[in-house]
Amino acid sequence: MLQNQKVMIIGGSSGIGLETAKQAIALGAEVIIASRSEDKLQKAKEFLGSNASAYTLDTTNEEQVKAFFEKTGPFDHLVVSAAETFGGSFLQTDAAKARQLFENKFWGQYYAAKYGAPKLSPNGSITLFSGVVAYKAMVGSSALGAVNAAVSSLSQTLALELAPVRVNTVSPGIIDTPSRSKMPEDARAKLYTAIAHKLPVKRVGKAEDVAQSVLYLIQNGFVTGTVLHVEGGHILA
């Protein structure tokens, strides 16, 4: 249980982050959610209720991240699920776009860990987010695979440097979240069906699947430096 504990979720206004916030509150936690979208934050806060507070935050802005943690004060657990991702041919992808992916997903998590760690309880934890393409090469995922691998490596080093604070990484596979809502519905359904057919579990993931994994890492005080794969056996497929 998470009674009397404060959980910070950057990226908590939608998808996996929002579901993690919901499950943490159900376990008794007070939750702070942060993201770039004021509109999404307000809707998320209304959904989560009185045990949640919300802040706008751009994790690519180091000074803003630093000021954010100075303002919010001490807490027990940090989860950083916020990130925009993309795929594309290595030769045809503009290098600036690949650099922006690093700014968003790697440096965003780096800044959050750097400035959040001093505010954490000694018995607290940090959970970062990698992804399956760090461990299973896929056409069109050169930049994203490199970013995800960098996040996983960072978290394992931080597990040593920040001890006794525990640092772990969740590595999701293909998850049905609002992040793909811009895709036409028929194209999205076709993608999910094709992927599900390949996976041992015969379905794509849900936000609930990943959130349960995050809560496991938060609550298990004997787990650190771990990459927890939540991908339905995608690595094996």
Side-chain angles (χ1 to χ4, degrees):
M1 300 296 287
L2 296 176
Q3 294 287 345
N4 302 316
Q5 296 193 48
K6 185 179 290 185
V7 180
M8 177 86 69
I9 304 174
I10 298 177
S13 64
S14 65
I16 293 166
L18 180 58
E19 179 62 29
T20 300
K22 174 187 170 184
Q23 292 189 20
I25 289 171
L27 292 171
E30 176 188 347
V31 169
I32 299 172
I33 59 172
S35 78
R36 295 178 187 176
S37 172
E38 179 68 30
D39 181 58
K40 287 182 180 179
L41 280 170
Q42 290 309 311
K43 291 177 181 177
K45 190 176 184 307
E46 291 174 9
F47 171 74
L48 294 171
S50 60
N51 285 333
S53 54
Y55 296 84
T56 55
L57 177 65
D58 179 0
T59 58
T60 66
N61 185 321
E62 182 177 3
E63 289 304 313
Q64 192 177 131
V65 175
K66 183 178 180 181
F68 168 74
F69 283 106
E70 289 173 351
K71 175 171 57 179
T72 53
F75 60 102
D76 298 288
H77 304 282
L78 173 63
V79 179
V80 193
S81 65
E84 295 177 7
T85 62
F86 75 90
S89 164
F90 174 70
L91 293 178
Q92 295 176 4
T93 298
D94 187 83
K97 190 173 182 180
R99 281 195 296 271
Q100 184 58 37
L101 179 60
F102 268 89
E103 286 291 334
N104 188 311
K105 187 164 188 182
F106 177 80
W107 287 107
Q109 296 194 75
Y110 181 101
Y111 296 148
K114 180 177 178 66
Y115 296 110
K119 305 294 184 180
L120 278 166
S121 158
N123 295 320
S125 71
I126 298 174
T127 305
L128 304 180
F129 270 69
S130 177
V132 65
V133 291
Y135 302 93
K136 182 177 179 66
M138 299 183 199
V139 172
S141 297
S142 56
L144 183 57
V147 172
N148 286 341
V151 171
S152 294
S153 178
L154 173 68
S155 73
Q156 291 181 322
T157 302
L158 295 185
L160 298 175
E161 290 201 18
L162 301 181
V165 169
R166 297 177 298 104
V167 186
N168 294 290
T169 298
V170 173
S171 180
I174 305 301
I175 311 297
D176 183 5
T177 69
S179 64
R180 289 192 175 85
S181 61
K182 293 180 181 179
M183 289 180 66
E185 186 174 347
D186 57 341
R188 188 169 67 249
K190 186 176 181 180
L191 170 67
Y192 288 162
T193 299
I195 292 170
H197 180 72
K198 296 178 182 179
L199 299 181
V201 297
K202 300 305 178 186
R203 67 174 178 88
V204 298
K206 301 176 182 178
E208 294 93 323
D209 298 320
V210 187
Q212 288 169 11
S213 302
V214 175
L215 268 297
Y216 162 76
L217 293 174
I218 286 176
Q219 294 180 91
N220 192 321
F222 203 56
V223 178
T224 193
T226 290
V227 178
L228 183 53
H229 298 276
V230 190
E231 32 79 321
H234 202 153
I235 293 175
L236 307 175

